Amino acid sequence: MSTASRVARRVEDVPFLEREDASLLLVLPGLFVFSAFMLFPILYLLGISFTNAEPSNLFAGEGALSVLTFGEAAFVGFENYVTVLTDVQFWNSFGITWLFVATSVALKLTLSIGVALIVTGDRVRGKRVMRSLIIIPMGLPAIFTITVWRGIFSSAEFGLANQVLRSVGLSSVSWLSDRWMAFLAYNVTEAWLAYPFMVIITVSALQDVPEELHEAAKVDGAGYLARFLHVTLPSIKRPVLFASILTAAASFQQFLIPYVFNEGGPARANELVVVYGYREAFTYFEYGQGAAISLVAIAFIGAFMWLNVKRGKLADGVSDE
């Protein structure tokens, strides 16, 4: 009898329950890491949201154990959630965040599909070089890129955006002092940061479109636009939709762009919900309210992603086992 047969026979001789216990031991390290880096912070955030935690009471006491037990912070129930949900600034932040998600995703989709069609075109030369250049933004630190874009959209006369406007005969713009000009600057910067990911997904999807479908459409007399609308788009819909959901979630959590540009200004008009939560927690030191804002944001973005995956039927064909 071979060694493999003897090992298989020994495994079969082990009672089922013992084998289940052994498999549980194998996944325990992964469960521990998940709990340490994902589950525990969320549970701790949930606990803080039900207290009046602030620096003076959260860190009261001696040793790390006092922080883990919320120090001397008092339990206040749902008071933080009521305060947040009745705050006009929260709803302004909530509304401008979803508007930012909608506009930035639309811009990223349009830009990414256009670029992907160019770098996969039959008549385009140097496509490999172009694809290499496209992913450059992914290799740059986000804070560096955002700082550069902040200089581009400087309200000063020497700002690059203003110089371009003046070169075509238009007047300069106070980009970061005007609400909607600043909002436009947010969108352009977000599109620059995220389009490489979208282009990679779209290019992969375009390469999987059967050429026979295009040939059949040409035989039927369909032009380029008709083939794009009725052949290309339906074929790449699922992967592009999946990428759009991911980038929408990233846009919802955007913090660096508004904070580095003008801290969500002017006058908190463009304060995205994550910036709002950060300000409440670390400027006004209302840790409980900051935690409540974060959890409300997590609930909304989780519902958004679940609804889109469900309606888009992106989980069809995935086994539950």
Side-chain angles (χ1 to χ4, degrees):
M1 182 181 296
S2 66
T3 303
S5 300
R6 288 197 299 270
V7 171
R9 188 157 189 170
R10 289 178 182 176
V11 171
E12 291 177 358
D13 291 339
V14 177
F16 178 76
L17 183 58
E18 292 183 11
R19 277 186 280 163
E20 287 292 310
D21 293 340
S23 62
L24 179 61
L25 290 175
L26 294 176
V27 301
L28 280 179
L31 289 175
F32 174 77
V33 173
F34 174 79
S35 300
F37 291 97
M38 294 290 294
L39 189 60
F40 173 75
I42 293 176
L43 292 177
Y44 190 73
L45 193 69
L46 180 64
I48 290 179
S49 71
F50 291 109
T51 69
N52 64 344
E54 56 185 35
S56 61
N57 56 33
L58 181 62
F59 303 109
E62 297 180 0
L65 187 60
S66 63
V67 178
L68 296 177
T69 56
F70 312 121
E72 297 178 358
F75 178 78
V76 296
F78 289 95
E79 181 179 321
N80 290 320
Y81 291 93
V82 173
T83 301
V84 168
L85 295 176
T86 55
D87 185 3
V88 175
Q89 184 58 36
F90 168 77
W91 292 109
N92 174 74
S93 298
F94 188 73
I96 200 68
T97 299
W98 282 115
L99 179 61
F100 175 71
V101 170
T103 54
S104 66
V105 170
L107 180 59
K108 284 180 283 190
L109 267 177
T110 304
L111 176 64
S112 302
I113 292 176
V115 172
L117 288 173
I118 292 173
V119 299
T120 56
D122 295 333
R123 299 180 180 179
V124 177
R125 296 293 179 265
K127 289 183 286 188
R128 289 187 178 181
V129 176
M130 294 175 64
R131 292 180 190 180
S132 300
L133 295 175
I134 285 170
I135 65 173
I136 287 178
M138 298 181 68
L140 299 175
I143 188 65
F144 169 79
T145 305
I146 293 168
T147 303
V148 171
W149 277 102
R150 186 184 186 279
I152 292 173
F153 288 111
S154 172
S155 299
E157 292 293 325
F158 57 77
L160 181 59
N162 278 334
Q163 290 190 37
V164 171
L165 290 177
R166 292 197 346 255
S167 68
V168 295
L170 299 176
S171 59
S172 300
V173 173
S174 299
W175 290 99
L176 303 182
S177 301
D178 180 271
R179 179 182 188 181
W180 296 114
M181 289 296 100
F183 187 77
L184 174 62
Y186 292 179
N187 275 269
V188 173
T189 307
E190 169 78 359
W192 172 263
L193 288 172
Y195 91 92
F197 167 74
M198 293 289 294
V199 168
I200 290 172
I201 298 297
T202 308
V203 166
S204 300
L206 286 171
Q207 291 176 335
D208 290 336
V209 178
E211 188 62 31
E212 293 80 6
L213 295 179
H214 287 286
E215 295 297 332
K218 289 180 182 178
V219 171
D220 292 338
Y224 181 82
L225 182 59
R227 295 199 306 274
F228 174 74
L229 293 176
H230 301 292
V231 176
T232 304
L233 277 184
S235 300
I236 67 174
K237 180 179 68 174
R238 286 170 67 91
V240 171
L241 178 59
F242 178 72
S244 300
I245 293 172
L246 292 181
T247 193
S251 297
F252 186 89
Q253 302 170 67
Q254 183 58 250
F255 172 81
L256 283 177
I257 293 175
Y259 193 80
V260 171
F261 271 38
N262 56 3
E263 296 186 1
R268 303 183 70 176
N270 288 329
E271 190 176 62
L272 303 187
V273 70
V274 177
V275 179
Y276 170 66
Y278 175 86
R279 193 189 299 273
E280 292 297 317
F282 298 106
T283 301
Y284 303 120
F285 302 111
E286 296 288 349
Y287 290 171
Q289 291 184 28
I293 294 166
S294 299
L295 288 170
V296 170
I298 290 172
F300 274 107
I301 194 60
F304 167 79
M305 294 186 70
W306 177 84
L307 183 63
N308 279 276
V309 169
K310 190 76 172 176
R311 290 177 63 87
K313 299 180 180 179
L314 298 180
D316 287 1
V318 178
S319 175
D320 293 332
E321 297 179 0

